[in-house]
Amino acid sequence: MDIQPIAGALGAEISGVDLRDPISPALAAQLRAAFLQHKVIFLRRQPLTPQQFLRFAEAFGTPIEYPFVKGIEGFPMIIEVKKLEHEKVNFGGVWHSDTTYLQEPPLGSMLLSREVPPYGGDTLFANQELAYERLSDTMKQVLAPLVGISSSAKADVSKTREDRIKSDGKEGKPSEYRAEHPIVRTHPETGRKSLYVNEAHTSGIVGMTDAESAPLLQFLFAHQVRPEFTCRFRWDADCIAFWDNRCAMHNPVNDYHGYKRLMHRITLQGTRPV
C-alpha cells in the first residue's frame, strides 16, 4: 500500500489496494490510520458492487440511513448523490460537514463515483483542526464555551436537496432536524480540537441573538475554508473518497451544467460531539 499526500493541509491518495478483495483487520487498521492522519483518503480504480462498497464501509463503522433520501434498491444505506443533465443545482453544493443537525452526527462519509462529467465536478475539502489551530489564543478562549445551533432547514443547503427529494425523497420525514453542538469539538479518537460549525447548517449560537451571533459565525465560515486549509480532488469513475466529518468539511463544485454526475454515498454512525 502506498500513501501519497495531495496537499499540505489534508488529503492523501492510496494505491496498491483492491477493495474487491476481503478487507483484513491489518488492512483496515492501515487505512484507518491514514484516514485519521489525513482527514480524507482517496482510492482510484475501485469498480465495486454495492455489496462490496457496503463491506468496505462496515470495516470502519456502522452505516446509517440518510434522513431525506431513500437508498438504492436492496441497499437502504447507500444513496445516490446525483445531478442530472437538465439540473442546475447540485446536491449539497455548499461548504458543510454532513448532517450536523442530528444529535449524533456521522463519524464519516464515503462516496464511490459511478458516472462523472468530462470536466468539472471536483470536490473541495477543508481541515478544521488546522483552522482551529490558526486562530488566536484569545479567539480560542471566546469560542471554548460556545454551543452552536444546527438546522437542516437553512435555505442555502435545503435548496440543494430539492431535486433529490422530488425524485428519491423519503415519506414521513420531519420538516426540520435541529441539534446543539460545541463550536469547538474534541476528536474522540485523536483528542485533537477542531472547529465544528459550517455555513450549510449552523444557524446560530445558544444564548445569543441572531444579531450577536451572525458576525462571529460569518468570520468563522470565511476563516475555516481559507485556501491553505484545503485540498481539491478530481474524480474519475470508480474512485472512493472517505472523509472524517468530525474534523473536515467538503464542498462539491457545481461547474458541469449539461452533464450527469452520479455517486453512491454511505454515511457511518458517529457519537455526540463533545
Side-chain angles (χ1 to χ4, degrees), residues 3-271:
I3 303 173
Q4 182 62 50
I6 68 169
L10 77 168
E13 285 200 26
I14 295 177
S15 58
V17 176
D18 188 342
L19 298 178
R20 292 172 294 183
D21 299 329
I23 301 169
S24 68
L27 176 58
Q30 286 181 292
L31 291 171
R32 192 175 195 92
F35 167 75
L36 292 174
Q37 178 181 353
H38 298 286
K39 324 303 182 203
V40 54
I41 56 175
F42 309 100
L43 298 96
R44 298 188 183 273
R45 295 175 291 281
Q46 304 292 334
L48 307 184
T49 66
Q51 183 61 57
Q52 290 168 333
F53 185 35
L54 187 62
R55 182 181 66 192
F56 171 65
E58 289 172 340
F60 300 96
T62 302
I64 57 175
E65 294 188 29
Y66 179 70
F68 291 99
V69 177
K70 295 182 294 187
I72 64 174
E73 185 174 358
F75 296 90
M77 308 302 181
I78 302 177
I79 68 166
E80 288 187 336
V81 173
K82 61 189 174 186
K83 179 188 171 193
L84 304 179
E85 292 88 341
H86 65 280
E87 295 174 347
K88 298 300 182 183
V89 179
N90 66 333
F91 186 85
V94 61
W95 278 108
H96 66 288
S97 177
D98 286 328
T99 58
T100 60
Y101 45 77
L102 299 179
Q103 297 301 319
E104 295 185 346
L107 175 161
S109 303
M110 51 183 68
L111 284 180
L112 172 58
S113 52
R114 296 300 192 185
E115 186 174 342
V116 298
Y119 56 81
D122 296 356
T123 302
L124 308 174
F125 297 87
N127 182 340
Q128 296 311 291
E129 290 177 356
L130 188 56
Y132 174 76
E133 291 168 5
R134 296 292 175 84
L135 293 170
S136 67
D137 289 342
T138 299
M139 179 58 78
K140 290 176 183 176
Q141 292 173 4
V142 169
L143 297 179
L146 299 183
V147 175
I149 303 167
S150 283
S151 169
S152 63
K154 282 191 72 176
D156 284 349
V157 71
S158 61
K159 70 182 181 182
T160 73
R161 302 190 204 102
E162 290 176 357
D163 289 324
R164 293 293 63 79
I165 289 176
K166 289 176 184 177
S167 63
D168 307 320
K170 287 183 175 179
E171 296 181 359
K173 63 175 179 56
S175 59
E176 181 185 9
Y177 293 87
R178 289 173 65 88
E180 298 179 359
H181 301 303
I183 284 180
V184 177
R185 73 172 294 179
T186 301
H187 197 289
E189 294 184 73
T190 68
R192 298 183 65 179
K193 294 183 182 296
S194 65
L195 286 177
Y196 199 63
V197 296
N198 67 93
E199 184 177 9
H201 303 313
T202 306
S203 59
I205 298 174
V206 172
M208 288 189 180
T209 66
D210 289 345
E212 291 168 337
S213 65
L216 179 55
L217 289 176
Q218 288 303 318
F219 164 76
L220 293 175
F221 295 158
H223 169 79
Q224 63 189 160
V225 297
R226 283 166 48 179
E228 63 267 34
F229 303 156
T230 68
C231 72
R232 185 178 186 124
F233 183 67
R234 182 175 182 181
W235 295 90
D236 298 312
D238 301 324
C239 293
I240 285 180
F242 176 27
W243 62 90
D244 193 332
N245 272 306
R246 301 164 295 186
C247 59
M249 296 198 305
H250 60 286
N251 184 3
V253 181
N254 187 24
D255 60 348
Y256 52 98
H257 297 324
Y259 295 101
K260 182 180 179 181
R261 182 179 183 268
L262 171 62
M263 309 283 187
H264 281 176
R265 189 179 92 174
I266 297 176
T267 303
L268 298 179
Q269 183 176 17
T271 56

